[in-house]
Amino acid sequence: MTTRPLRAERSSPRTACVLPGLPFTPQLVKAVFRDVTSLHVSRPAAWAAASVTRTVLTEIIDGARNAAAEEARKRLIPKDLISAIDRNVEVEVGSTWYLHSPTFHGLLGEVRNADGALVSLRERRGARTPSGVAGAHRFEGGVKRLLGSRGVRAVPAMVRDLDGIASVFLTALAQDAARVVREGGVKRFGTVSLVVPGEPAPAPAPLLTDPLLALSTHRGDGRTVGGNDVLAAATMQLFGDLRQRAITEAAEITRDTSAN
């Protein structure tokens, strides 16, 4: 009986493909899209969504790192996340996660129904756990890689919160990207106006710049989410400097990958 030589295991590049600098694989991104839409997701769309999510998390982590540095700590804890969000309203994303995380339970404020009765946290959560919350564990590896790239570590509770925020944000981004395809473009843009009591309201925000307006119309067939559809969704989910930076970085990523 002859013995067959053992063949070396082949690792498919499609199973572990991570673009340098991006902590999340296109496979993970596409899995999130499959949770919310049956539309096909192009590779540029997957890269763009991963890039936008990275930009948002990086901003949150950097804010938390600054808060920890004020107390001479290098290990992030949940209160650093609260400080990061308090200091920068642009990173207040993933609100669905806040209803499910102990970190935010005492900070959500009271909500009352039409009869004036207090709405419990359980009622506000709803009977069904959103897919973004249920799938948050899938982001742990990417979050830890991103923390390492920023030179910090985090306690497990902080990692859990970052997982959750990443998951529900990407889920919302996927939902809006699918809506852009179905509706043929963007119907709304994210905006925030800060008003100080007793002072006049600020002047209206300037219109979006031409590059952002160019994203407002879907191009292509009605069956595929493209890179520009994800960028258009980002204009709906984000605002301010964070929105501009996220779109710019994602556009560069998709341009580079298309060139290669």
Side-chain angles (χ1 to χ4, degrees), residues 21 45 57 69 102 111 116 121-122 156 164 166-167 172 187 207 223 236 249 257:
L57 282 189
V111 174
L121 187 58
R122 182 181 296 275
S167 184
K187 304 301 181 185
L207 293 175
R223 301 181 300 276
M236 300 160 69
E249 292 177 0
T257 53

Side-chain angles (χ1 to χ4, degrees), residues 52-53 56-57 60 81-82 85 88-104 108 130 132-133 136 160-173 175-176 236-239 242:
V52 171
T53 306
V56 170
L57 282 189
I60 294 173
L81 175 59
I82 298 296
I85 294 173
N88 184 359
V89 69
E90 291 181 11
V91 300
E92 192 173 331
V93 297
S95 56
T96 302
W97 175 253
Y98 303 158
L99 293 172
H100 293 263
S101 169
T103 300
F104 298 92
L108 295 174
V133 173
R160 177 204 62 213
D161 279 329
L162 291 173
D163 292 350
I165 290 172
S167 184
V168 299
F169 171 76
L170 182 52
T171 298
L173 189 70
Q175 290 170 333
D176 278 345
M236 300 160 69
Q237 288 290 322
L238 303 172
F239 64 94
L242 180 59

Side-chain angles (χ1 to χ4, degrees), residues 19-175:
L19 198 70
L22 288 184
F24 307 116
T25 66
Q27 288 73 25
L28 172 58
V29 174
K30 289 185 177 183
V32 173
F33 271 81
R34 283 195 298 271
D35 288 340
V36 300
T37 180
S38 60
L39 295 173
H40 174 70
V41 180
S42 69
R43 182 168 287 271
W47 287 130
S51 176
V52 171
T53 306
R54 177 198 58 183
T55 302
V56 170
L57 282 189
T58 298
E59 188 76 4
I60 294 173
I61 290 171
D62 286 350
R65 181 179 61 181
N66 292 338
E70 294 174 1
E71 298 182 4
R73 282 186 290 101
K74 295 184 178 180
R75 195 174 178 90
L76 305 185
I77 60 177
K79 79 171 186 175
D80 299 325
L81 175 59
I82 298 296
S83 295
I85 294 173
D86 282 346
R87 297 176 184 182
N88 184 359
V89 69
E90 291 181 11
V91 300
E92 192 173 331
V93 297
S95 56
T96 302
W97 175 253
Y98 303 158
L99 293 172
H100 293 263
S101 169
T103 300
F104 298 92
H105 283 183
L107 305 172
L108 295 174
E110 293 183 351
V111 174
R112 297 183 180 274
N113 61 23
D115 298 325
L118 191 65
V119 179
S120 69
L121 187 58
R122 182 181 296 275
E123 291 174 303
R124 291 162 67 181
R125 285 177 177 171
R128 178 179 172 274
T129 300
S131 61
V133 173
H137 62 280
R138 298 178 292 184
F139 287 76
E140 182 174 351
V143 164
K144 287 182 175 179
R145 284 191 292 271
L146 189 54
L147 286 165
S149 72
R150 309 308 293 176
V152 293
R153 294 180 300 160
V155 300
M158 178 69 171
V159 173
R160 177 204 62 213
D161 279 329
L162 291 173
D163 292 350
I165 290 172
S167 184
V168 299
F169 171 76
L170 182 52
T171 298
L173 189 70
Q175 290 170 333

Side-chain angles (χ1 to χ4, degrees), residues 52 55 211-212 215 230-232 234-235 238 242-252:
V52 171
T55 302
L212 294 186
L215 298 173
V230 173
L231 300 185
T235 67
L238 303 172
L242 180 59
R243 173 168 64 187
Q244 185 63 59
R245 187 163 65 256
I247 291 173
T248 299
E249 292 177 0
E252 291 175 356

Side-chain angles (χ1 to χ4, degrees), residues 178-217:
R179 186 176 297 114
V180 168
V181 176
R182 290 195 305 268
E183 298 180 356
V186 179
K187 304 301 181 185
R188 62 182 175 83
F189 293 94
T191 58
V192 169
S193 297
L194 300 180
V195 179
V196 178
E199 295 187 7
L207 293 175
L208 293 173
T209 59
D210 288 344
L212 294 186
L213 285 174
L215 298 173
S216 63
T217 301

